Amino acid sequence: MVMDRNNRSHRAKGLPQGCAGTFEPASGTAGGDVMPPAAEDLDPKRYGHKRAVRLVNWRVEHDPTSLWLQDRLKATMPGVDADGNPFDYRDEPVLDPAAETRMIDDAVYREDADGRPHYGRIMRALASWYPNEAERFDMARRIAEDRCDALRRNVIGDPARCYSARLVGYALTRPVRMEAILARPPYNLSAHRMRVGKRYMDRIGAYAREHGGRLPDKRQRDRIWDENMGDFIHEKIAKGVQYGRGMYYSDGSNARPEYHGRPPRLDADGKPFNAREDFERMLAAGRAELDRRPAEFDDVANRMGVVDRMDAHDAFGVDDADAHAAWAEARRRGLDVRLVEAALGVDASDAAAWEAEYQASSGTR
């Protein structure tokens, strides 16, 4: 059995006992002989806004082993994609748990036969934002396992789809970007500030590697931030390209050369605005958000993008909070929310409630 660096067996989350080992304690399963309720009687906030997946989530809640039943994960009928093109996955075999474990290890971390470490796509994508390798490893593994869990839940709800190696491989190679969180409210980081922040975190990681894993103190981080900001600005000037506004040093001074000599920007307490501290606060909040909901790391558009490649509709099911957030953002931008409702399978009753909430919060009638 594959073991990780902490001597834990690599079993996919939720795998039943008697099938390759698990991190989770043994527990009895129930609900196999319980008659499920009607989909309309299930709470959409708990089981999902799409009627088609409510019963799936209810069954999994009452019998977690149903996520691993081969007959539930295999395609039993052909299907038609959103563009009307037929597809047929009945000949594709279901991915077995041992192979899934190896694919997750490839996406996160494994050691070659000679002991050399191999950092997978997800692990590498988190490198800038998680200088501590242990934290980065734990988060990368959670993301990979939760993606597979979300994929299983959707596949067992659609007899035309198969939980195959091809589908799981695609899911595990989806982009992982901290930018997806930091670009959204309440952070609203611009692309330029994001690039500066990423380069800053890369330098923090380099400092830690050069100092035996020790991270720099506040004074040193201010210096690193300022040097990084200056290098970024000068590089953009040399290339003759734009580099955005809102770029500040740790003492509150504007990084744009034409603003040198002006009074520093002040924070809410009247003290010089420390751009390094401001970025670190937003990064900490974004990481906390990721830690609470690792399966939702990619933005909604990225998660739904699997449809374009695999005919795997809603492969990463958008949950209650995500659906509401996507709807609210479209409403604020004046877009046609009916398109969002149709894409995410939002019930008319929920859409009406969100509209009433939006009008009440914005003072409209």
Side-chain angles (χ1 to χ4, degrees), residues 288-360:
E289 181 178 334
L290 169 60
D291 188 60
R292 288 192 299 272
R293 299 170 59 191
E296 314 311 325
F297 187 83
D298 293 335
D299 58 35
V300 174
N302 279 341
R303 289 202 308 280
M304 293 178 64
V306 74
V307 175
D308 298 331
R309 299 277 192 89
M310 294 296 299
D311 301 316
H313 305 298
D314 308 314
F316 298 104
V318 181
D319 70 6
D320 171 48
D322 263 337
H324 192 179
W327 184 95
E329 181 65 18
R331 185 69 173 84
R332 282 193 294 270
R333 295 188 181 188
L335 304 177
D336 188 347
V337 294
R338 292 173 298 180
L339 298 177
V340 177
E341 294 163 10
L344 302 184
V346 177
D347 285 346
S349 59
D350 293 313
W354 294 347
E355 177 64 27
E357 179 182 336
Y358 176 83
Q359 293 190 14

XYZ file of all heavy atoms in Angstrom, residues 288-360:
558
model
N -7.713 31.171 4.390
C -8.713 30.665 5.336
C -9.971 30.236 4.595
O -10.599 29.232 4.936
C -9.040 31.735 6.370
N -10.337 31.015 3.566
C -11.499 30.654 2.749
C -11.252 29.345 2.028
O -12.130 28.479 1.955
C -11.790 31.769 1.746
C -13.002 31.513 0.867
C -13.280 32.664 -0.066
O -12.896 33.808 0.260
O -13.871 32.432 -1.140
N -10.061 29.165 1.502
C -9.700 27.932 0.834
C -9.710 26.765 1.811
O -10.163 25.668 1.497
C -8.324 28.068 0.193
C -7.663 26.793 -0.346
C -8.547 26.170 -1.418
C -6.305 27.126 -0.907
N -9.235 26.997 3.026
C -9.180 25.942 4.029
C -10.576 25.489 4.439
O -10.803 24.314 4.711
C -8.420 26.442 5.256
C -8.169 25.331 6.260
O -7.506 24.347 5.894
O -8.657 25.445 7.404
N -11.519 26.422 4.454
C -12.897 26.060 4.820
C -13.558 25.257 3.723
O -14.355 24.356 3.989
C -13.729 27.325 5.094
C -13.377 28.047 6.379
C -14.423 29.088 6.701
N -14.542 30.107 5.680
C -13.821 31.222 5.646
N -12.913 31.436 6.564
N -13.998 32.116 4.689
N -13.252 25.583 2.464
C -13.937 24.946 1.350
C -12.945 24.634 0.235
O -12.972 25.243 -0.830
C -15.037 25.859 0.825
C -16.107 26.179 1.840
C -17.014 27.264 1.331
N -17.646 26.874 0.098
C -18.325 27.719 -0.677
N -18.405 28.978 -0.354
N -18.897 27.310 -1.775
N -12.057 23.660 0.471
C -11.015 23.383 -0.520
C -11.548 22.913 -1.863
O -10.912 23.126 -2.882
C -10.180 22.283 0.148
C -11.102 21.651 1.146
C -11.969 22.776 1.629
N -12.702 22.269 -1.891
C -13.234 21.791 -3.171
C -13.655 22.929 -4.069
O -13.800 22.775 -5.271
C -14.420 20.857 -2.942
N -13.835 24.116 -3.461
C -14.308 25.256 -4.229
C -13.172 26.195 -4.602
O -13.381 27.367 -4.847
C -15.359 26.033 -3.413
C -16.415 25.169 -2.756
C -17.036 24.163 -3.697
O -17.199 24.483 -4.898
O -17.337 23.054 -3.263
N -11.927 25.670 -4.600
C -10.785 26.546 -4.846
C -10.851 27.201 -6.206
O -10.679 28.409 -6.339
C -9.508 25.719 -4.728
C -8.263 26.537 -4.798
C -7.791 27.161 -3.669
C -7.577 26.700 -5.980
C -6.643 27.919 -3.729
C -6.434 27.446 -6.049
C -5.962 28.055 -4.911
N -11.125 26.443 -7.245
C -11.244 27.034 -8.573
C -12.518 27.837 -8.668
O -13.503 27.543 -8.022
C -11.275 25.950 -9.648
C -9.957 25.222 -9.731
O -8.932 25.797 -9.349
O -9.974 24.077 -10.167
N -12.511 28.882 -9.479
C -13.733 29.670 -9.613
C -14.789 28.881 -10.388
O -14.522 27.849 -10.978
C -13.467 31.027 -10.270
C -12.840 30.893 -11.646
O -13.185 29.936 -12.366
O -12.022 31.757 -12.000
N -16.022 29.386 -10.348
C -17.143 28.669 -10.944
C -16.912 28.407 -12.425
O -17.175 27.316 -12.923
C -18.448 29.470 -10.739
C -19.595 28.801 -11.486
C -18.780 29.567 -9.261
N -16.382 29.387 -13.118
C -16.169 29.215 -14.559
C -15.189 28.087 -14.836
O -15.376 27.288 -15.750
C -15.660 30.505 -15.176
N -14.125 27.982 -14.039
C -13.157 26.917 -14.251
C -13.777 25.554 -13.974
O -13.539 24.592 -14.689
C -11.931 27.117 -13.347
C -10.963 28.115 -13.917
O -10.993 28.400 -15.101
N -10.106 28.657 -13.074
N -14.570 25.457 -12.916
C -15.156 24.164 -12.577
C -16.143 23.727 -13.644
O -16.260 22.552 -13.961
C -15.842 24.236 -11.216
C -14.841 24.340 -10.075
C -15.444 23.883 -8.785
N -16.698 24.545 -8.492
C -16.794 25.762 -7.986
N -15.710 26.450 -7.750
N -17.964 26.286 -7.729
N -16.884 24.668 -14.213
C -17.858 24.307 -15.234
C -17.188 24.053 -16.578
O -17.797 23.474 -17.470
C -18.898 25.413 -15.369
C -19.789 25.555 -14.140
S -20.958 26.899 -14.303
C -21.945 26.315 -15.662
N -15.917 24.454 -16.709
C -15.222 24.290 -17.969
C -15.028 22.843 -18.379
O -14.736 22.564 -19.536
N -15.143 21.914 -17.436
C -14.990 20.504 -17.774
C -16.034 20.072 -18.797
O -15.831 19.120 -19.541
C -15.090 19.642 -16.496
C -16.507 19.540 -16.003
C -14.533 18.252 -16.750
N -17.157 20.766 -18.861
C -18.209 20.426 -19.815
C -17.691 20.518 -21.241
O -18.018 19.685 -22.089
C -19.422 21.366 -19.638
C -20.469 21.110 -20.707
C -20.027 21.184 -18.257
N -16.871 21.513 -21.504
C -16.392 21.737 -22.862
C -15.506 20.601 -23.357
O -15.407 20.360 -24.557
C -15.607 23.054 -22.936
C -16.470 24.235 -22.578
O -17.684 24.164 -22.808
O -15.918 25.210 -22.055
N -14.833 19.912 -22.456
C -13.856 18.916 -22.859
C -14.371 17.475 -22.736
O -14.003 16.622 -23.509
C -12.604 19.035 -21.975
C -11.911 20.382 -22.065
C -10.984 20.442 -23.286
N -10.130 21.611 -23.206
C -8.945 21.592 -22.595
N -8.509 20.497 -22.032
N -8.221 22.674 -22.550
N -15.180 17.203 -21.701
C -15.469 15.822 -21.377
C -16.941 15.438 -21.489
O -17.293 14.299 -21.197
C -15.015 15.538 -19.930
C -13.523 15.608 -19.739
S -12.646 14.354 -20.687
C -13.334 12.871 -19.991
N -17.805 16.345 -21.874
C -19.236 16.065 -21.889
C -19.715 15.628 -20.512
O -20.713 14.931 -20.385
C -19.590 14.955 -22.887
C -19.177 15.310 -24.292
O -19.403 16.456 -24.697
O -18.634 14.437 -24.968
N -18.967 16.037 -19.482
C -19.319 15.637 -18.116
C -20.036 16.800 -17.474
O -19.435 17.611 -16.791
C -18.055 15.290 -17.324
N -21.304 16.892 -17.671
C -22.068 18.058 -17.262
C -22.010 18.246 -15.754
O -22.267 17.329 -14.983
C -23.510 17.929 -17.720
C -23.610 17.700 -19.195
N -23.167 18.618 -20.118
C -24.049 16.633 -19.909
C -23.354 18.138 -21.341
N -23.882 16.939 -21.237
N -21.651 19.503 -15.349
C -21.575 19.863 -13.938
C -20.644 18.924 -13.175
O -20.952 18.478 -12.089
C -22.968 19.845 -13.285
C -23.952 20.672 -14.071
O -23.605 21.792 -14.458
O -25.071 20.189 -14.311
N -19.495 18.615 -13.759
C -18.607 17.651 -13.131
C -18.193 18.080 -11.736
O -17.990 17.258 -10.866
C -17.359 17.450 -13.988
N -18.056 19.383 -11.528
C -17.822 19.878 -10.185
C -19.076 20.617 -9.766
O -19.245 21.793 -10.056
C -16.597 20.806 -10.137
C -15.345 20.112 -10.534
C -14.792 20.330 -11.778
C -14.744 19.215 -9.681
C -13.633 19.676 -12.148
C -13.589 18.559 -10.061
C -13.030 18.796 -11.294
N -19.948 19.942 -9.093
C -21.249 20.513 -8.777
C -21.132 21.802 -7.999
O -20.494 21.861 -6.965
N -21.740 22.842 -8.468
C -21.729 24.122 -7.776
C -22.683 24.039 -6.602
O -23.842 23.687 -6.763
C -22.157 25.253 -8.728
C -22.127 26.584 -8.015
C -21.247 25.269 -9.934
N -22.196 24.345 -5.406
C -23.055 24.185 -4.256
C -23.898 25.427 -4.010
O -23.880 26.387 -4.768
C -22.236 23.821 -3.008
C -21.372 24.962 -2.508
O -21.483 26.083 -3.055
O -20.594 24.755 -1.576
N -24.644 25.400 -2.909
C -25.592 26.461 -2.583
C -24.937 27.834 -2.539
O -25.392 28.774 -3.167
C -26.233 26.121 -1.228
C -27.069 27.261 -0.681
O -27.889 27.811 -1.441
O -26.917 27.581 0.504
N -23.832 27.933 -1.791
C -23.192 29.237 -1.632
C -22.623 29.744 -2.948
O -22.705 30.929 -3.265
C -22.087 29.146 -0.568
N -22.021 28.847 -3.728
C -21.456 29.247 -5.009
C -22.529 29.726 -5.980
O -22.347 30.702 -6.697
C -20.718 28.077 -5.641
C -19.217 28.150 -5.365
O -18.736 29.252 -5.096
O -18.557 27.117 -5.402
N -23.643 28.989 -6.037
C -24.722 29.373 -6.939
C -25.248 30.751 -6.582
O -25.467 31.589 -7.458
C -25.848 28.333 -6.883
N -25.433 30.990 -5.306
C -25.932 32.289 -4.858
C -24.928 33.392 -5.179
O -25.294 34.473 -5.660
C -26.220 32.249 -3.354
C -26.986 33.430 -2.860
N -27.357 33.580 -1.545
C -27.461 34.542 -3.504
C -28.015 34.722 -1.410
N -28.091 35.324 -2.579
N -23.630 33.110 -4.938
C -22.591 34.110 -5.202
C -22.524 34.448 -6.685
O -22.389 35.617 -7.065
C -21.241 33.605 -4.704
N -22.605 33.422 -7.545
C -22.559 33.656 -8.986
C -23.771 34.461 -9.447
O -23.652 35.380 -10.265
C -22.510 32.315 -9.726
N -24.925 34.134 -8.903
C -26.150 34.854 -9.254
C -26.043 36.316 -8.818
O -26.384 37.236 -9.578
C -27.349 34.182 -8.588
C -28.675 34.791 -8.953
C -29.533 34.380 -9.928
C -29.296 35.934 -8.340
N -30.644 35.186 -9.972
C -30.535 36.159 -9.008
C -28.949 36.795 -7.307
C -31.393 37.185 -8.664
C -29.809 37.828 -6.967
C -31.011 38.016 -7.642
N -25.597 36.545 -7.575
C -25.507 37.908 -7.037
C -24.527 38.754 -7.841
O -24.768 39.937 -8.097
C -25.109 37.862 -5.564
N -23.403 38.153 -8.249
C -22.419 38.900 -9.029
C -23.004 39.297 -10.389
O -22.802 40.414 -10.865
C -21.156 38.055 -9.215
C -20.045 38.739 -9.999
C -19.484 39.961 -9.279
O -19.707 40.083 -8.059
O -18.835 40.785 -9.945
N -23.730 38.368 -11.017
C -24.368 38.683 -12.297
C -25.399 39.784 -12.133
O -25.512 40.679 -12.971
C -25.022 37.422 -12.866
N -26.139 39.743 -11.032
C -27.175 40.765 -10.771
C -26.541 42.127 -10.570
O -27.037 43.138 -11.090
C -27.987 40.367 -9.537
C -29.173 41.283 -9.239
C -30.246 41.124 -10.305
N -31.441 41.851 -9.952
C -31.628 43.154 -10.183
N -30.659 43.853 -10.779
N -32.750 43.738 -9.835
N -25.438 42.183 -9.843
C -24.759 43.461 -9.596
C -24.218 44.057 -10.889
O -24.162 45.280 -11.039
C -23.620 43.265 -8.587
C -24.063 43.175 -7.143
C -22.880 43.297 -6.198
N -21.981 42.162 -6.319
C -22.094 41.049 -5.608
N -23.079 40.925 -4.746
N -21.225 40.071 -5.754
N -23.816 43.201 -11.802
C -23.248 43.682 -13.067
C -24.316 43.978 -14.115
O -23.989 44.379 -15.228
C -22.272 42.639 -13.622
C -21.050 42.424 -12.745
C -20.050 41.531 -13.440
N -18.876 41.279 -12.613
C -17.790 40.654 -13.037
N -17.732 40.226 -14.287
N -16.768 40.444 -12.227
N -25.561 43.754 -13.781
C -26.631 44.024 -14.723
C -26.747 42.990 -15.824
O -27.308 43.272 -16.895
N -26.229 41.778 -15.588
C -26.308 40.720 -16.586
C -27.645 39.984 -16.500
O -28.408 40.171 -15.559
C -25.150 39.738 -16.391
C -23.744 40.344 -16.406
C -22.698 39.279 -16.136
C -23.476 41.037 -17.736
N -27.908 39.148 -17.465
C -29.151 38.377 -17.494
C -29.011 37.204 -16.524
O -28.376 36.190 -16.837
C -29.422 37.869 -18.906
C -30.803 37.234 -19.042
O -31.440 36.977 -18.005
O -31.243 36.993 -20.184
N -29.603 37.326 -15.340
C -29.458 36.291 -14.323
C -30.164 35.003 -14.728
O -29.888 33.936 -14.165
C -29.993 36.775 -12.955
C -29.141 37.911 -12.422
C -31.447 37.184 -13.054
N -31.067 35.074 -15.696
C -31.744 33.853 -16.131
C -30.761 32.860 -16.735
O -30.946 31.645 -16.628
C -32.847 34.198 -17.139
C -34.009 34.977 -16.535
C -34.976 35.428 -17.610
N -34.317 36.329 -18.562
C -34.938 36.881 -19.607
N -36.208 36.600 -19.829
N -34.285 37.691 -20.419
N -29.705 33.380 -17.365
C -28.682 32.502 -17.925
C -27.932 31.777 -16.811
O -27.600 30.595 -16.926
C -27.707 33.309 -18.781
C -28.317 34.015 -20.003
C -27.246 34.829 -20.712
C -28.938 32.998 -20.949
N -27.655 32.506 -15.725
C -26.981 31.894 -14.581
C -27.880 30.847 -13.941
O -27.439 29.744 -13.599
C -26.589 32.973 -13.547
C -25.957 32.326 -12.316
C -25.646 33.989 -14.158
N -29.155 31.193 -13.790
C -30.099 30.256 -13.178
C -30.202 28.968 -13.990
O -30.247 27.865 -13.436
C -31.471 30.917 -13.049
C -31.494 32.080 -12.077
C -32.709 32.982 -12.259
O -33.632 32.598 -13.014
O -32.728 34.063 -11.658
N -30.227 29.104 -15.307
C -30.335 27.927 -16.163
C -29.065 27.089 -16.108
O -29.116 25.858 -16.042
C -30.623 28.355 -17.602
N -27.901 27.765 -16.115
C -26.626 27.041 -16.112
C -26.395 26.292 -14.811
O -25.849 25.189 -14.801
C -25.474 28.016 -16.362
N -26.836 26.872 -13.691
C -26.599 26.269 -12.382
C -27.789 25.480 -11.866
O -27.741 24.922 -10.774
C -26.211 27.355 -11.371
C -24.978 28.196 -11.730
C -24.637 29.162 -10.611
C -23.792 27.299 -12.030
N -28.870 25.439 -12.618
C -30.032 24.664 -12.207
C -30.726 25.222 -10.986
O -31.218 24.467 -10.140
N -30.775 26.543 -10.872
C -31.389 27.175 -9.705
C -32.906 27.124 -9.822
O -33.469 27.463 -10.864
C -30.916 28.643 -9.577
C -31.602 29.332 -8.417
C -29.400 28.687 -9.418
N -33.569 26.711 -8.746
C -35.023 26.675 -8.737
C -35.596 28.083 -8.783
O -34.992 29.041 -8.267
C -35.546 25.983 -7.479
C -35.364 24.469 -7.547
O -35.092 23.969 -8.652
O -35.501 23.815 -6.502
N -36.790 28.200 -9.353
C -37.442 29.510 -9.462
C -37.699 30.115 -8.090
O -37.585 31.334 -7.904
C -38.752 29.368 -10.235
N -38.046 29.268 -7.111
C -38.322 29.781 -5.769
C -37.080 30.379 -5.134
O -37.134 31.420 -4.465
C -38.875 28.658 -4.881
O -37.946 27.590 -4.798
N -35.920 29.726 -5.345
C -34.672 30.260 -4.799
C -34.282 31.552 -5.504
O -33.826 32.513 -4.864
C -33.556 29.236 -4.947
C -33.786 28.005 -4.091
O -34.116 28.165 -2.907
O -33.650 26.893 -4.612
N -34.465 31.583 -6.820
C -34.134 32.793 -7.578
C -34.991 33.960 -7.104
O -34.508 35.098 -6.974
C -34.341 32.555 -9.070
N -36.259 33.693 -6.831
C -37.149 34.751 -6.358
C -36.712 35.258 -4.988
O -36.752 36.472 -4.712
C -38.588 34.229 -6.300
N -36.286 34.325 -4.128
C -35.830 34.727 -2.793
C -34.562 35.564 -2.883
O -34.401 36.553 -2.167
C -35.594 33.489 -1.929
N -33.659 35.181 -3.793
C -32.415 35.942 -3.960
C -32.709 37.330 -4.519
O -32.056 38.301 -4.126
C -31.468 35.193 -4.882
C -30.966 33.898 -4.313
C -31.065 33.483 -3.018
C -30.310 32.854 -5.016
N -30.511 32.241 -2.874
C -30.026 31.824 -4.081
C -29.924 32.674 -6.348
C -29.386 30.641 -4.443
C -29.274 31.503 -6.714
C -29.004 30.497 -5.769
N -33.668 37.425 -5.431
C -34.026 38.721 -5.991
C -34.597 39.628 -4.905
O -34.257 40.821 -4.835
C -35.040 38.544 -7.121
C -35.544 39.846 -7.728
C -34.458 40.656 -8.412
O -33.456 40.033 -8.872
O -34.577 41.890 -8.498
N -35.454 39.081 -4.046
C -36.021 39.870 -2.955
C -34.931 40.326 -1.999
O -34.915 41.479 -1.535
C -37.075 39.037 -2.206
N -33.976 39.432 -1.720
C -32.866 39.792 -0.847
C -32.001 40.874 -1.467
O -31.572 41.817 -0.786
C -32.037 38.550 -0.563
C -30.809 38.799 0.333
C -29.995 37.542 0.535
O -30.564 36.448 0.395
O -28.794 37.669 0.814
N -31.760 40.743 -2.764
C -30.938 41.740 -3.459
C -31.596 43.108 -3.425
O -30.955 44.130 -3.145
C -30.711 41.299 -4.906
C -29.958 42.328 -5.729
C -28.583 42.399 -5.695
C -30.653 43.232 -6.532
C -27.893 43.336 -6.434
C -29.980 44.192 -7.277
C -28.601 44.241 -7.228
O -27.926 45.179 -7.948
N -32.897 43.166 -3.707
C -33.606 44.437 -3.712
C -33.635 45.060 -2.332
O -33.507 46.279 -2.191
C -35.023 44.239 -4.247
C -35.078 43.864 -5.728
C -36.479 43.912 -6.288
O -37.374 44.471 -5.669
N -36.652 43.334 -7.465
N -33.792 44.223 -1.315
C -33.816 44.753 0.052
C -32.455 45.333 0.453
O -32.383 46.377 1.091
C -34.214 43.633 1.025
